[in-house]
Amino acid sequence: MKIKQLVVAGSLVLMAGGLAACGQAKAQTSKQKTLHLMQDTDLTSLDTSNTATLTQWNVLQQSMEGLYRVNSKNKVVGAMATKVVKPTNNGKTYTFHLRKNAKWNNGDQVTAQDFVTAWRRSVSSTSTSGYSYIYEGIKNATQISAGKKATKTLGVQAVNKTTLKVTLSRAMPYLSKMLTMPAFFPQNHQVVAKYGKNYGTTSTKMAYNGPFTVKGWTGTNDSWNLVKNTYYYDKSAIKLNKMTMQVVKDSTTAHNLFSQGKLDDVTVTGATAQGLQHDKHLKHVSKAGTYYLRLNMAKNHALHNQYLRQALNLVLNKNSLTKKVLSDGSTAAHNYVTPTLVTDPTTGKDFGTETANTARYNVKKAQQLWKKGLKQLGKKSVTLKLVGDDTSVSKTITQFVQAAVEQNLSGAKVTVSSVPEKAESAAVSSGNYDMQYALWLADYADPVSFFDILTKNNPQNYGKYTDSVFNAQITAAHGKNATNTKAYWQNMRTAAQRLNTTAAVVPLYNMTESHLVNSKLTGVVYHSVGENDYTRATFK
């Protein structure tokens, strides 16, 4: 997920100093009907066609629904659609029937046109969310995003008020998983027409079809409420009356607010998380995300050389990084695809585990490869520019990498650039870097969610990775093998192995969230893929 590169990594904060004992005030009682939550970055828009950030998607997860949702058993079930449908036309046509009792919070019925409007806006060449690529595979989406076809040609049609027809250019066996994402949520077409470019800029310039409605967000403030939606079709399943959300960027502040009983679920990071690893309220939530070094493999950069890339992967002691430096429950990553993402149905094994790189920390081997790479380049030394954001955790990681490389690889110099997120993004998009501390969090539970952004022509392939074997595997998976389970998963395994062999990225550690949770809070669904779902929560 693109936003993770610039938002999640930037939200982690290392805080020095002592920690107060972690208790909770008596304000939280068994009769509590209001859930108090935090977000660690600002809310900038509610319009999924305009922006795509973690805070935005976290808010929309509680207040909106798409055709499908993921239930507490991590199973895709019908939401606005009455059921999960099977495609026809060799996997290229989906016909969805919408619930007739599905309504927006203003009383309007949720219609097929609401999906048509939303998807056309999001796939448009003028969309600024950065997520138009997620629609690739829907008929004409790629051409529309490139400005070569009109949005009305997108393969999505309102057959009638409650029937939506989606036509694909190729079979997409993982489409059902994708449709649970906020990127595919509907937009009330009448509300969009009313507010135009101002749609989603405040909580009042929106309509909500989910369990809660957003109240009190002006577009700039750092706190708002979510109130139970009386028009929600399944309102009897919603036990809370209200959620409050406030932006808390400081991990120590989050811990203090939790200790005072002012927040019921907070995330803590860095030194704060380190000091709370044995706290009774601590909950580790494994997410299908991998922190890694993005490598610039453009021909005019040193890391175009495969031997140098392989050396970087071997010279970093990732176990030491997670256990001694981070010490927050994170685990070492030996694969670009995170374990816990998905089980390979043809082997019955966890995909991230079965395809893990067997080449592990080995300084001697790294030195040999480094020397070989320099010889190929005809150089005695290289200077690598390592870019990260200006948060403490990013600085800690980049300093760790810098020390390991410079101390162990002869002729290697690493310059670290710790800059605000906007400047970091500019450096990466312009190619003014050699390595970048990044994170990719899966959009949906399939390895191709990771792989797509490394294909040759993907707009998010900022590292300029180009490998004919890898590209051929992904092309086949999207094409001739899309509906052949055995062949598809063989493509996935081969693609993963190719990334390992060519050292396309340097995995660092797997994403783990450290939550402090009110012991009386129950019913929260902490998804490995996607946003945490608080809509069915209650207090014991």
Side-chain angles (χ1 to χ4, degrees), residues 60 67 168 295 393 402 413 422 430 451 462 536 540:
L60 295 178
L67 292 166
L168 308 181
L295 308 177
V393 71
Q402 180 186 43
K413 181 175 175 57
K422 188 174 181 180
S430 66
F451 295 154
Y462 298 113
R536 271 73 177 171
K540 292 186 285 187

Side-chain angles (χ1 to χ4, degrees), residues 309-378:
R309 301 198 303 269
Q310 291 171 330
L312 289 174
N313 185 58
L314 294 177
V315 81
L316 300 176
N317 189 336
K318 300 166 188 178
N319 286 324
S320 178
L321 171 64
T322 55
K323 294 178 181 179
K324 297 180 180 180
V325 178
L326 294 172
S327 302
D328 62 356
S330 299
T331 57
H334 301 292
N335 201 341
Y336 176 50
V337 178
T338 319
T340 75
L341 173 71
V342 66
T343 297
D344 180 340
T346 64
T347 64
K349 299 177 182 179
D350 177 89
F351 181 84
T353 302
E354 73 173 346
T355 60
N357 196 341
T358 56
R360 304 292 170 92
Y361 177 58
N362 186 328
V363 174
K364 185 176 180 179
K365 181 65 174 178
Q367 291 170 338
Q368 293 171 350
L369 289 166
W370 186 260
K371 185 177 180 180
K372 195 172 183 178
L374 288 182
K375 185 177 181 180
Q376 274 196 348
L377 292 174

Side-chain angles (χ1 to χ4, degrees), residues 130-238:
Y131 248 72
S132 58
Y133 84 90
I134 204 72
Y135 287 85
E136 290 179 4
I138 297 178
K139 185 179 178 180
N140 294 330
T142 302
Q143 297 94 319
I144 294 168
S145 295
K148 296 179 180 179
K149 285 194 175 183
T151 56
K152 66 181 181 181
T153 65
L154 183 67
V156 56
Q157 174 190 0
V159 178
N160 55 46
K161 200 167 187 178
T162 58
T163 305
L164 181 73
K165 181 180 179 181
V166 177
T167 304
L168 308 181
S169 57
R170 52 178 167 81
M172 298 169 65
Y174 42 82
L175 181 64
S176 293
K177 299 174 183 177
M178 294 175 67
L179 293 178
T180 65
M181 296 167 53
F184 290 95
F185 284 175
Q187 297 169 1
N188 186 315
H189 68 278
Q190 296 179 86
V191 175
V192 171
K194 179 178 180 180
Y195 293 112
K197 65 180 182 180
N198 291 319
Y199 171 81
T201 55
T202 70
S203 58
T204 57
K205 294 182 174 64
M206 277 280 294
Y208 309 90
N209 69 326
F212 292 84
T213 64
V214 183
K215 302 286 186 180
W217 182 65
T218 64
T220 57
N221 54 320
D222 60 5
S223 64
W224 55 89
N225 297 322
L226 288 90
V227 179
K228 186 173 181 178
N229 180 7
T230 57
Y231 285 100
Y232 182 55
Y233 71 91
D234 194 24
K235 64 181 179 181
S236 62
I238 311 305

